[in-house]
Amino acid sequence: VTGARRSVLERIVDDLGRHYGPPVPPPVSDPLQMILWENVAYLADDEARAAAYALLERRVGTDPRAILAAPDEALLEVARAGGIMAERRPAKIRDVAEIVVAEFDGDLSRLVAGPLDKAKRGLRKFPGIGEPGAEKILLFARRQPILALDSNGLRVLSRLGFGEERKSYAATYRSVQEAASREIRADFDRLITTHLLLRRHGRTLCKTNAPVCERCPVRDHCRYFESRRTSADRVTRSRPAAGRPR
Ligand code: SF4
């Protein structure tokens, strides 16, 4: 997409790409591996999660039957590499293996290639996978061209002005996703890049508390930044001249 034909969202994504550089995709994109990736660690940063996942691959493997046969200590060792609350992780990792064997005959390829709603319902049976997580798996496995968003991406798009804040996370997610999806082509590379750059921006500058708007490469497009600036101007204008800082 070039020049004037780019949508606002496409311009934002291009600006983020110039600012942060090409995004690095997660090391796994197979659906079962992505589910294990989510479950090897709890609230871990990317490095700790990658360490736990690498240890799972080395020590046990990612074949569900190998996981079911693995000793508790091996899974606990994996979980400890991922950080906090490791004691609860082995059961989660085993649950993943049990569900894929019992309900999907050890293979998710048919599920993710099927109808979208059925695929999402099937993926949500796994621990730690909600609707956004299921959509992310389907996007990264290049099965469904959906603009999946993690909580960072949702926050960034919402502040930029896409969609509306609703009563629940799920309703806000849907509103923001619908509004943003109208401005982006259903192209896997573009959608994956958008997901990753919005995530990076949300973790770097557009954080939950105190976003660093002064350094933001997309602030000229941002409704939140505009409203902050407008209210700051109003305060300045309403202050008596003598009280203004010099
Ligand atoms: S201007 Fe601020 S609120 Fe808006 S996207 Fe940038 S960092 Fe986030």
Side-chain angles (χ1 to χ4, degrees), residues 17-76:
R18 267 189 292 278
H19 184 80
Y20 293 111
V24 181
V28 293
S29 57
D30 168 82
L32 177 59
Q33 290 180 348
M34 287 184 78
I35 296 169
L36 288 168
W37 173 267
E38 290 300 325
N39 278 279
V40 287
Y42 180 68
L43 292 181
D45 60 25
D46 290 349
E47 290 72 27
R49 191 173 295 282
Y53 187 83
L55 192 57
L56 177 71
E57 281 186 320
R58 258 201 331 274
R59 190 88 163 72
V60 177
T62 56
D63 179 84
R65 291 176 183 89
I67 291 172
L68 290 174
D72 283 350
E73 312 83 70
L75 293 179
L76 192 55

Short mmCIF file of all heavy atoms in Angstrom, two decimals, residues 17-76:
data_model
loop_
_atom_site.label_atom_id
_atom_site.label_comp_id
_atom_site.label_asym_id
_atom_site.label_seq_id
_atom_site.Cartn_x
_atom_site.Cartn_y
_atom_site.Cartn_z
N GLY A 17 6.71 0.63 12.68
CA GLY A 17 7.76 -0.21 12.09
C GLY A 17 9.06 0.56 11.90
O GLY A 17 10.14 0.03 12.15
N ARG A 18 8.93 1.82 11.49
CA ARG A 18 10.15 2.64 11.32
C ARG A 18 10.78 2.92 12.69
O ARG A 18 11.99 2.93 12.84
CB ARG A 18 9.80 3.96 10.63
CG ARG A 18 9.97 3.91 9.12
CD ARG A 18 9.85 5.29 8.50
NE ARG A 18 8.49 5.80 8.62
CZ ARG A 18 7.50 5.47 7.79
NH1 ARG A 18 7.72 4.66 6.79
NH2 ARG A 18 6.30 5.95 7.96
N HIS A 19 9.94 3.11 13.69
CA HIS A 19 10.45 3.46 15.02
C HIS A 19 11.13 2.26 15.70
O HIS A 19 12.21 2.37 16.25
CB HIS A 19 9.29 3.96 15.88
CG HIS A 19 9.71 4.45 17.23
ND1 HIS A 19 10.25 5.70 17.44
CD2 HIS A 19 9.70 3.84 18.44
CE1 HIS A 19 10.53 5.85 18.72
NE2 HIS A 19 10.21 4.74 19.36
N TYR A 20 10.46 1.11 15.65
CA TYR A 20 10.96 -0.06 16.40
C TYR A 20 11.78 -1.02 15.54
O TYR A 20 12.44 -1.91 16.07
CB TYR A 20 9.79 -0.83 17.01
CG TYR A 20 9.06 -0.08 18.10
CD1 TYR A 20 7.77 0.38 17.92
CD2 TYR A 20 9.68 0.18 19.32
CE1 TYR A 20 7.10 1.08 18.91
CE2 TYR A 20 9.01 0.88 20.33
CZ TYR A 20 7.72 1.32 20.11
OH TYR A 20 7.08 2.01 21.11
N GLY A 21 11.69 -0.88 14.24
CA GLY A 21 12.35 -1.86 13.37
C GLY A 21 11.43 -3.06 13.15
O GLY A 21 10.36 -3.15 13.75
N PRO A 22 11.86 -3.98 12.27
CA PRO A 22 10.99 -5.12 11.96
C PRO A 22 10.72 -5.93 13.22
O PRO A 22 11.64 -6.20 13.99
CB PRO A 22 11.82 -5.94 10.96
CG PRO A 22 12.94 -5.05 10.54
CD PRO A 22 13.15 -4.02 11.59
N PRO A 23 9.45 -6.31 13.45
CA PRO A 23 9.14 -7.06 14.67
C PRO A 23 9.66 -8.49 14.62
O PRO A 23 9.76 -9.08 13.55
CB PRO A 23 7.61 -7.05 14.72
CG PRO A 23 7.19 -6.85 13.31
CD PRO A 23 8.28 -6.06 12.62
N VAL A 24 10.01 -9.00 15.80
CA VAL A 24 10.52 -10.38 15.87
C VAL A 24 9.35 -11.30 16.23
O VAL A 24 8.75 -11.13 17.29
CB VAL A 24 11.61 -10.49 16.95
CG1 VAL A 24 12.15 -11.91 17.02
CG2 VAL A 24 12.71 -9.49 16.68
N PRO A 25 9.01 -12.24 15.36
CA PRO A 25 7.89 -13.12 15.70
C PRO A 25 8.27 -14.09 16.81
O PRO A 25 9.45 -14.37 17.01
CB PRO A 25 7.62 -13.87 14.39
CG PRO A 25 8.85 -13.74 13.59
CD PRO A 25 9.62 -12.56 14.07
N PRO A 26 7.28 -14.60 17.55
CA PRO A 26 7.60 -15.59 18.58
C PRO A 26 8.21 -16.83 17.92
O PRO A 26 7.94 -17.10 16.73
CB PRO A 26 6.25 -15.91 19.23
CG PRO A 26 5.22 -15.36 18.32
CD PRO A 26 5.86 -14.34 17.43
N PRO A 27 9.01 -17.60 18.66
CA PRO A 27 9.71 -18.72 18.03
C PRO A 27 8.81 -19.88 17.63
O PRO A 27 9.26 -20.79 16.96
CB PRO A 27 10.71 -19.16 19.10
CG PRO A 27 10.22 -18.57 20.37
CD PRO A 27 9.39 -17.39 20.05
N VAL A 28 7.56 -19.86 18.06
CA VAL A 28 6.67 -20.98 17.69
C VAL A 28 5.43 -20.44 16.98
O VAL A 28 4.94 -19.37 17.30
CB VAL A 28 6.23 -21.81 18.92
CG1 VAL A 28 7.42 -22.53 19.52
CG2 VAL A 28 5.56 -20.95 19.97
N SER A 29 4.93 -21.21 16.00
CA SER A 29 3.70 -20.81 15.34
C SER A 29 2.75 -22.01 15.12
O SER A 29 1.64 -21.84 14.65
CB SER A 29 4.00 -20.15 13.99
OG SER A 29 4.73 -21.03 13.18
N ASP A 30 3.21 -23.19 15.49
CA ASP A 30 2.35 -24.37 15.44
C ASP A 30 1.31 -24.23 16.58
O ASP A 30 1.68 -23.84 17.69
CB ASP A 30 3.21 -25.62 15.64
CG ASP A 30 2.37 -26.83 15.90
OD1 ASP A 30 1.88 -27.41 14.92
OD2 ASP A 30 2.18 -27.20 17.08
N PRO A 31 0.03 -24.54 16.33
CA PRO A 31 -0.99 -24.31 17.36
C PRO A 31 -0.69 -24.98 18.71
O PRO A 31 -0.79 -24.34 19.76
CB PRO A 31 -2.27 -24.87 16.74
CG PRO A 31 -2.05 -24.69 15.27
CD PRO A 31 -0.59 -24.92 15.05
N LEU A 32 -0.32 -26.26 18.70
CA LEU A 32 -0.06 -26.92 19.98
C LEU A 32 1.16 -26.30 20.67
O LEU A 32 1.16 -26.07 21.88
CB LEU A 32 0.15 -28.43 19.77
CG LEU A 32 0.51 -29.20 21.05
CD1 LEU A 32 -0.58 -29.04 22.11
CD2 LEU A 32 0.76 -30.68 20.75
N GLN A 33 2.16 -26.00 19.89
CA GLN A 33 3.36 -25.38 20.49
C GLN A 33 3.02 -24.01 21.08
O GLN A 33 3.52 -23.64 22.14
CB GLN A 33 4.45 -25.28 19.45
CG GLN A 33 5.01 -26.65 19.07
CD GLN A 33 6.11 -26.57 18.03
OE1 GLN A 33 6.33 -25.54 17.42
NE2 GLN A 33 6.79 -27.68 17.82
N MET A 34 2.14 -23.27 20.41
CA MET A 34 1.75 -21.96 20.96
C MET A 34 0.99 -22.13 22.27
O MET A 34 1.14 -21.32 23.20
CB MET A 34 0.90 -21.19 19.95
CG MET A 34 1.72 -20.66 18.78
SD MET A 34 0.73 -19.66 17.65
CE MET A 34 0.64 -18.12 18.56
N ILE A 35 0.17 -23.16 22.37
CA ILE A 35 -0.57 -23.39 23.62
C ILE A 35 0.41 -23.77 24.73
O ILE A 35 0.30 -23.30 25.87
CB ILE A 35 -1.66 -24.48 23.41
CG1 ILE A 35 -2.70 -23.99 22.42
CG2 ILE A 35 -2.31 -24.84 24.74
CD1 ILE A 35 -3.68 -25.06 21.95
N LEU A 36 1.38 -24.60 24.40
CA LEU A 36 2.39 -24.96 25.41
C LEU A 36 3.21 -23.72 25.79
O LEU A 36 3.53 -23.52 26.97
CB LEU A 36 3.30 -26.06 24.86
CG LEU A 36 2.63 -27.44 24.76
CD1 LEU A 36 3.51 -28.40 23.94
CD2 LEU A 36 2.35 -28.03 26.15
N TRP A 37 3.54 -22.91 24.82
CA TRP A 37 4.29 -21.66 25.06
C TRP A 37 3.54 -20.80 26.10
O TRP A 37 4.15 -20.24 27.01
CB TRP A 37 4.42 -20.92 23.72
CG TRP A 37 5.01 -19.55 23.78
CD1 TRP A 37 4.33 -18.37 23.87
CD2 TRP A 37 6.40 -19.20 23.72
NE1 TRP A 37 5.20 -17.31 23.87
CE2 TRP A 37 6.47 -17.79 23.78
CE3 TRP A 37 7.57 -19.94 23.62
CZ2 TRP A 37 7.68 -17.10 23.74
CZ3 TRP A 37 8.78 -19.24 23.58
CH2 TRP A 37 8.83 -17.84 23.64
N GLU A 38 2.22 -20.72 25.98
CA GLU A 38 1.42 -19.94 26.94
C GLU A 38 1.43 -20.57 28.32
O GLU A 38 1.29 -19.87 29.32
CB GLU A 38 -0.05 -19.83 26.48
CG GLU A 38 -0.27 -18.97 25.26
CD GLU A 38 0.18 -17.52 25.47
OE1 GLU A 38 0.04 -17.01 26.60
OE2 GLU A 38 0.69 -16.92 24.52
N ASN A 39 1.55 -21.88 28.37
CA ASN A 39 1.37 -22.57 29.65
C ASN A 39 2.64 -22.94 30.40
O ASN A 39 2.56 -23.36 31.54
CB ASN A 39 0.51 -23.83 29.42
CG ASN A 39 -0.97 -23.47 29.38
OD1 ASN A 39 -1.60 -23.31 30.41
ND2 ASN A 39 -1.50 -23.31 28.18
N VAL A 40 3.81 -22.79 29.78
CA VAL A 40 5.04 -23.16 30.49
C VAL A 40 5.39 -22.15 31.58
O VAL A 40 6.16 -22.46 32.49
CB VAL A 40 6.27 -23.32 29.56
CG1 VAL A 40 6.18 -24.58 28.74
CG2 VAL A 40 6.49 -22.10 28.70
N ALA A 41 4.84 -20.94 31.48
CA ALA A 41 5.20 -19.91 32.47
C ALA A 41 3.99 -19.03 32.74
O ALA A 41 3.07 -18.95 31.91
CB ALA A 41 6.35 -19.06 31.93
N TYR A 42 4.01 -18.38 33.90
CA TYR A 42 2.89 -17.52 34.29
C TYR A 42 3.40 -16.09 34.44
O TYR A 42 4.38 -15.84 35.16
CB TYR A 42 2.28 -18.03 35.60
CG TYR A 42 1.12 -17.21 36.07
CD1 TYR A 42 -0.08 -17.21 35.36
CD2 TYR A 42 1.20 -16.46 37.25
CE1 TYR A 42 -1.16 -16.46 35.79
CE2 TYR A 42 0.12 -15.72 37.68
CZ TYR A 42 -1.06 -15.72 36.96
OH TYR A 42 -2.13 -14.98 37.39
N LEU A 43 2.75 -15.16 33.77
CA LEU A 43 3.13 -13.74 33.84
C LEU A 43 4.63 -13.52 33.64
O LEU A 43 5.24 -12.72 34.33
CB LEU A 43 2.71 -13.14 35.20
CG LEU A 43 1.21 -12.99 35.46
CD1 LEU A 43 0.98 -12.36 36.83
CD2 LEU A 43 0.52 -12.17 34.38
N ALA A 44 5.21 -14.28 32.74
CA ALA A 44 6.66 -14.18 32.53
C ALA A 44 6.96 -13.22 31.39
O ALA A 44 6.13 -13.03 30.50
CB ALA A 44 7.21 -15.56 32.19
N ASP A 45 8.16 -12.62 31.42
CA ASP A 45 8.54 -11.84 30.24
C ASP A 45 8.96 -12.82 29.14
O ASP A 45 9.05 -14.03 29.34
CB ASP A 45 9.64 -10.82 30.57
CG ASP A 45 10.91 -11.47 31.10
OD1 ASP A 45 11.15 -12.65 30.78
OD2 ASP A 45 11.66 -10.80 31.82
N ASP A 46 9.19 -12.28 27.95
CA ASP A 46 9.45 -13.14 26.80
C ASP A 46 10.68 -14.02 27.01
O ASP A 46 10.72 -15.17 26.58
CB ASP A 46 9.64 -12.30 25.53
CG ASP A 46 8.33 -11.66 25.08
OD1 ASP A 46 7.28 -12.03 25.61
OD2 ASP A 46 8.38 -10.80 24.18
N GLU A 47 11.71 -13.46 27.66
CA GLU A 47 12.97 -14.21 27.84
C GLU A 47 12.74 -15.42 28.75
O GLU A 47 13.19 -16.53 28.46
CB GLU A 47 14.06 -13.31 28.44
CG GLU A 47 14.58 -12.24 27.49
CD GLU A 47 13.58 -11.10 27.25
OE1 GLU A 47 12.74 -10.85 28.14
OE2 GLU A 47 13.63 -10.50 26.16
N ALA A 48 12.06 -15.20 29.88
CA ALA A 48 11.82 -16.31 30.82
C ALA A 48 10.93 -17.37 30.17
O ALA A 48 11.15 -18.58 30.32
CB ALA A 48 11.19 -15.78 32.11
N ARG A 49 9.94 -16.93 29.44
CA ARG A 49 9.05 -17.89 28.77
C ARG A 49 9.84 -18.70 27.74
O ARG A 49 9.68 -19.92 27.64
CB ARG A 49 7.90 -17.12 28.10
CG ARG A 49 6.77 -17.98 27.59
CD ARG A 49 5.62 -17.12 27.09
NE ARG A 49 5.00 -16.35 28.16
CZ ARG A 49 4.14 -16.85 29.05
NH1 ARG A 49 3.78 -18.11 28.99
NH2 ARG A 49 3.65 -16.08 30.00
N ALA A 50 10.70 -18.03 27.00
CA ALA A 50 11.51 -18.73 25.99
C ALA A 50 12.43 -19.74 26.66
O ALA A 50 12.64 -20.85 26.15
CB ALA A 50 12.31 -17.73 25.17
N ALA A 51 12.97 -19.37 27.83
CA ALA A 51 13.87 -20.30 28.54
C ALA A 51 13.11 -21.54 28.99
O ALA A 51 13.59 -22.67 28.84
CB ALA A 51 14.50 -19.58 29.75
N ALA A 52 11.90 -21.33 29.52
CA ALA A 52 11.10 -22.48 29.97
C ALA A 52 10.70 -23.36 28.79
O ALA A 52 10.78 -24.60 28.87
CB ALA A 52 9.85 -21.97 30.71
N TYR A 53 10.32 -22.73 27.70
CA TYR A 53 9.90 -23.51 26.53
C TYR A 53 11.07 -24.32 25.95
O TYR A 53 10.92 -25.49 25.60
CB TYR A 53 9.30 -22.59 25.47
CG TYR A 53 8.70 -23.37 24.33
CD1 TYR A 53 7.42 -23.88 24.41
CD2 TYR A 53 9.45 -23.64 23.19
CE1 TYR A 53 6.89 -24.64 23.38
CE2 TYR A 53 8.92 -24.41 22.16
CZ TYR A 53 7.64 -24.90 22.27
OH TYR A 53 7.13 -25.66 21.26
N ALA A 54 12.24 -23.67 25.90
CA ALA A 54 13.42 -24.37 25.37
C ALA A 54 13.75 -25.58 26.25
O ALA A 54 14.13 -26.64 25.75
CB ALA A 54 14.61 -23.41 25.29
N LEU A 55 13.59 -25.41 27.56
CA LEU A 55 13.87 -26.53 28.46
C LEU A 55 12.84 -27.66 28.27
O LEU A 55 13.18 -28.84 28.32
CB LEU A 55 13.89 -26.03 29.91
CG LEU A 55 14.45 -27.00 30.95
CD1 LEU A 55 15.88 -27.43 30.60
CD2 LEU A 55 14.42 -26.37 32.34
N LEU A 56 11.58 -27.27 28.04
CA LEU A 56 10.56 -28.29 27.77
C LEU A 56 10.95 -29.09 26.53
O LEU A 56 10.88 -30.33 26.53
CB LEU A 56 9.19 -27.63 27.56
CG LEU A 56 8.05 -28.59 27.20
CD1 LEU A 56 7.66 -29.47 28.39
CD2 LEU A 56 6.81 -27.83 26.69
N GLU A 57 11.36 -28.40 25.50
CA GLU A 57 11.76 -29.10 24.26
C GLU A 57 12.93 -30.05 24.52
O GLU A 57 12.93 -31.18 24.04
CB GLU A 57 12.18 -28.08 23.20
CG GLU A 57 11.02 -27.42 22.50
CD GLU A 57 11.47 -26.53 21.35
OE1 GLU A 57 12.49 -25.83 21.49
OE2 GLU A 57 10.80 -26.53 20.31
N ARG A 58 13.90 -29.56 25.29
CA ARG A 58 15.11 -30.37 25.53
C ARG A 58 14.86 -31.54 26.47
O ARG A 58 15.29 -32.66 26.25
CB ARG A 58 16.18 -29.47 26.17
CG ARG A 58 17.23 -29.00 25.21
CD ARG A 58 18.53 -28.55 25.85
NE ARG A 58 18.49 -27.99 27.17
CZ ARG A 58 18.26 -26.70 27.45
NH1 ARG A 58 18.00 -25.85 26.49
NH2 ARG A 58 18.27 -26.26 28.69
N ARG A 59 14.16 -31.25 27.55
CA ARG A 59 14.05 -32.22 28.65
C ARG A 59 12.95 -33.24 28.41
O ARG A 59 13.06 -34.38 28.80
CB ARG A 59 13.78 -31.38 29.91
CG ARG A 59 13.85 -32.06 31.21
CD ARG A 59 15.26 -32.06 31.76
NE ARG A 59 15.22 -32.38 33.19
CZ ARG A 59 14.95 -33.56 33.68
NH1 ARG A 59 14.67 -34.55 32.89
NH2 ARG A 59 14.93 -33.76 35.00
N VAL A 60 11.84 -32.78 27.77
CA VAL A 60 10.65 -33.64 27.65
C VAL A 60 10.22 -33.80 26.19
O VAL A 60 9.82 -34.88 25.76
CB VAL A 60 9.47 -33.00 28.45
CG1 VAL A 60 8.20 -33.82 28.31
CG2 VAL A 60 9.84 -32.84 29.93
N GLY A 61 10.28 -32.70 25.43
CA GLY A 61 9.73 -32.69 24.08
C GLY A 61 8.34 -32.07 24.11
O GLY A 61 7.76 -31.87 25.19
N THR A 62 7.78 -31.78 22.94
CA THR A 62 6.45 -31.16 22.90
C THR A 62 5.39 -32.12 22.36
O THR A 62 4.25 -31.72 22.14
CB THR A 62 6.47 -29.88 22.04
OG1 THR A 62 6.96 -30.20 20.74
CG2 THR A 62 7.35 -28.81 22.66
N ASP A 63 5.78 -33.38 22.18
CA ASP A 63 4.78 -34.37 21.79
C ASP A 63 3.88 -34.63 23.01
O ASP A 63 4.38 -34.85 24.11
CB ASP A 63 5.49 -35.67 21.38
CG ASP A 63 4.47 -36.72 20.99
OD1 ASP A 63 4.03 -36.70 19.84
OD2 ASP A 63 4.08 -37.53 21.87
N PRO A 64 2.54 -34.57 22.83
CA PRO A 64 1.66 -34.70 24.00
C PRO A 64 1.86 -36.01 24.78
O PRO A 64 1.78 -36.02 26.01
CB PRO A 64 0.25 -34.60 23.43
CG PRO A 64 0.38 -34.60 21.95
CD PRO A 64 1.79 -34.28 21.60
N ARG A 65 2.15 -37.07 24.07
CA ARG A 65 2.30 -38.35 24.80
C ARG A 65 3.60 -38.36 25.60
O ARG A 65 3.68 -38.94 26.68
CB ARG A 65 2.22 -39.52 23.81
CG ARG A 65 0.78 -39.65 23.29
CD ARG A 65 0.57 -40.70 22.23
NE ARG A 65 -0.81 -40.68 21.76
CZ ARG A 65 -1.27 -39.92 20.76
NH1 ARG A 65 -0.46 -39.13 20.10
NH2 ARG A 65 -2.54 -39.96 20.42
N ALA A 66 4.62 -37.71 25.09
CA ALA A 66 5.87 -37.58 25.85
C ALA A 66 5.64 -36.73 27.10
O ALA A 66 6.17 -37.03 28.18
CB ALA A 66 6.95 -36.94 24.97
N ILE A 67 4.82 -35.71 26.97
CA ILE A 67 4.52 -34.87 28.15
C ILE A 67 3.76 -35.68 29.19
O ILE A 67 4.05 -35.62 30.39
CB ILE A 67 3.71 -33.62 27.72
CG1 ILE A 67 4.60 -32.69 26.88
CG2 ILE A 67 3.15 -32.88 28.93
CD1 ILE A 67 3.88 -31.52 26.24
N LEU A 68 2.79 -36.48 28.75
CA LEU A 68 2.01 -37.28 29.70
C LEU A 68 2.89 -38.31 30.40
O LEU A 68 2.63 -38.68 31.55
CB LEU A 68 0.84 -37.96 28.99
CG LEU A 68 -0.28 -37.00 28.54
CD1 LEU A 68 -1.32 -37.73 27.71
CD2 LEU A 68 -0.92 -36.32 29.74
N ALA A 69 3.93 -38.77 29.74
CA ALA A 69 4.81 -39.79 30.35
C ALA A 69 5.94 -39.17 31.18
O ALA A 69 6.66 -39.89 31.86
CB ALA A 69 5.41 -40.65 29.23
N ALA A 70 6.07 -37.86 31.13
CA ALA A 70 7.23 -37.22 31.79
C ALA A 70 7.06 -37.22 33.31
O ALA A 70 5.94 -37.06 33.81
CB ALA A 70 7.36 -35.78 31.29
N PRO A 71 8.17 -37.36 34.04
CA PRO A 71 8.06 -37.30 35.51
C PRO A 71 7.75 -35.87 35.98
O PRO A 71 8.12 -34.90 35.31
CB PRO A 71 9.46 -37.72 35.98
CG PRO A 71 10.36 -37.57 34.81
CD PRO A 71 9.51 -37.65 33.57
N ASP A 72 7.10 -35.78 37.14
CA ASP A 72 6.73 -34.47 37.70
C ASP A 72 7.94 -33.54 37.80
O ASP A 72 7.85 -32.35 37.50
CB ASP A 72 6.15 -34.63 39.11
CG ASP A 72 4.72 -35.13 39.04
OD1 ASP A 72 4.16 -35.16 37.92
OD2 ASP A 72 4.18 -35.49 40.10
N GLU A 73 9.08 -34.12 38.24
CA GLU A 73 10.26 -33.25 38.47
C GLU A 73 10.70 -32.57 37.18
O GLU A 73 11.14 -31.43 37.21
CB GLU A 73 11.46 -34.03 39.02
CG GLU A 73 11.19 -34.97 40.18
CD GLU A 73 10.65 -36.30 39.67
OE1 GLU A 73 11.44 -37.05 39.06
OE2 GLU A 73 9.46 -36.57 39.87
N ALA A 74 10.57 -33.29 36.06
CA ALA A 74 11.01 -32.70 34.79
C ALA A 74 10.13 -31.50 34.44
O ALA A 74 10.63 -30.44 34.04
CB ALA A 74 10.95 -33.74 33.68
N LEU A 75 8.81 -31.64 34.63
CA LEU A 75 7.91 -30.53 34.29
C LEU A 75 8.08 -29.36 35.27
O LEU A 75 7.97 -28.20 34.90
CB LEU A 75 6.45 -31.01 34.28
CG LEU A 75 6.12 -32.01 33.16
CD1 LEU A 75 4.66 -32.46 33.26
CD2 LEU A 75 6.39 -31.42 31.78
N LEU A 76 8.39 -29.71 36.53
CA LEU A 76 8.61 -28.65 37.51
C LEU A 76 9.90 -27.88 37.21
O LEU A 76 9.95 -26.66 37.32
CB LEU A 76 8.66 -29.26 38.92
CG LEU A 76 8.61 -28.26 40.08
CD1 LEU A 76 7.38 -27.35 39.98
CD2 LEU A 76 8.59 -29.00 41.41
#
